Amino acid sequence: MALLHILNYPDKRLNKVAKSVAVVDDRIRKLVVDMAETMYAAPGVGLAATQVDVHKRVITIDVSDAHDDLKVFINPEIVWVSDEKKDWEEGCLSVPGIYDFVERPDKVCVKALNEKGETFEIDCDGLLAVCIQHEMDHLNGHVFVEYLSPLKQTRIRGKMKKLEKAL
Ligand code: K1U
Ligand code: ZN
């Protein structure tokens, strides 16, 4: 197991579009283990491979209180979204200390491969629905602050510059 370095916004590598996983092999399974360890340690409820500078379509999520319900999504695809939308306060491990509201579909159905390479479908609502959409944005090179006003984005970039200097 290994803790991976999480890229900070506005690092350009966060804007790369991740490639599909051709075969779910031991290298991908090792990536999943390391991503899960990194996500739990952060702590966070989700992590996309893009955030650890690996540009493959892999996501880990655990929204359980006991941190005992790890969900792995490889090559995730949204197959259905609800018409109803909801505002949810989001955070991001790549934008530490910044939380703001984003409107997204309230419910989604996602198809993906698990770490055994088997296809599954899952109906998501609540935080799981928000988190899977947030993580799929990462795989497509997008960070949640892009949904915020230009003024807020400028302020966040300023805060991140200060944070980088302090490190
Ligand atoms: O993608 C990420 O950076 C992870 C992000 C996921 C997320 C959270 C909330 C709404 C949308 C997406 C996080 O995990 S931020 C940290 C966080 O939410 C949290 C941290 C500790 C305990 C509980 C939640
Ligand atoms: Zn994020």
Side-chain angles (χ1 to χ4, degrees):
M1 297 217 290
L3 280 184
L4 306 171
H5 172 72
I6 299 176
L7 299 174
N8 269 349
Y9 177 82
D11 193 308
K12 288 271 176 286
R13 291 170 288 181
L14 288 169
N15 303 124
K16 287 191 184 181
V17 178
K19 292 204 165 75
S20 294
V21 171
V23 184
V24 181
D25 56 14
D26 285 347
R27 279 180 62 182
I28 295 295
R29 280 185 277 273
K30 160 108 175 63
L31 172 64
V32 165
V33 168
D34 291 346
M35 283 177 59
E37 190 188 7
T38 304
M39 176 187 77
Y40 286 123
V45 292
L47 190 70
T50 307
Q51 292 175 278
V52 293
D53 203 20
V54 176
H55 302 280
K56 293 179 180 160
R57 302 189 82 79
V58 179
I59 289 168
T60 56
I61 294 180
D62 188 345
V63 295
S64 70
D65 289 336
H67 302 164
D68 60 357
D69 187 20
L70 178 67
K71 289 183 168 57
V72 176
F73 299 85
I74 299 168
N75 299 341
E77 285 171 43
I78 303 247
V79 294
W80 175 84
V81 300
S82 63
D83 290 336
E84 197 191 334
K85 297 191 174 181
K86 217 173 203 170
D87 265 332
W88 199 289
E89 193 172 32
E90 300 194 12
C92 182
L93 298 175
S94 296
V95 200
I98 305 292
Y99 295 86
D100 214 325
F101 286 86
V102 175
E103 187 188 66
R104 298 187 187 268
D106 184 30
K107 296 185 175 83
V108 295
C109 176
V110 176
K111 182 178 158 183
L113 302 176
N114 64 18
E115 61 268 54
K116 293 179 193 158
E118 301 161 342
T119 302
F120 69 97
E121 254 186 44
I122 183 168
D123 292 319
C124 308
D125 60 9
L127 179 56
L128 178 58
V130 174
C131 198
I132 186 70
Q133 293 177 78
H134 175 115
E135 304 309 336
M136 287 181 71
D137 277 350
H138 277 304
L139 297 185
N140 291 326
H142 298 297
V143 179
F144 87 104
V145 299
E146 293 171 34
Y147 292 102
L148 308 178
S149 69
L151 177 63
K152 282 186 176 178
Q153 291 186 38
T154 304
R155 282 185 182 156
I156 291 168
R157 279 173 187 262
K159 281 185 185 168
M160 294 303 295
K161 261 195 191 143
K162 272 192 190 160
L163 193 74
E164 289 290 326
K165 271 192 191 156
L167 292 177

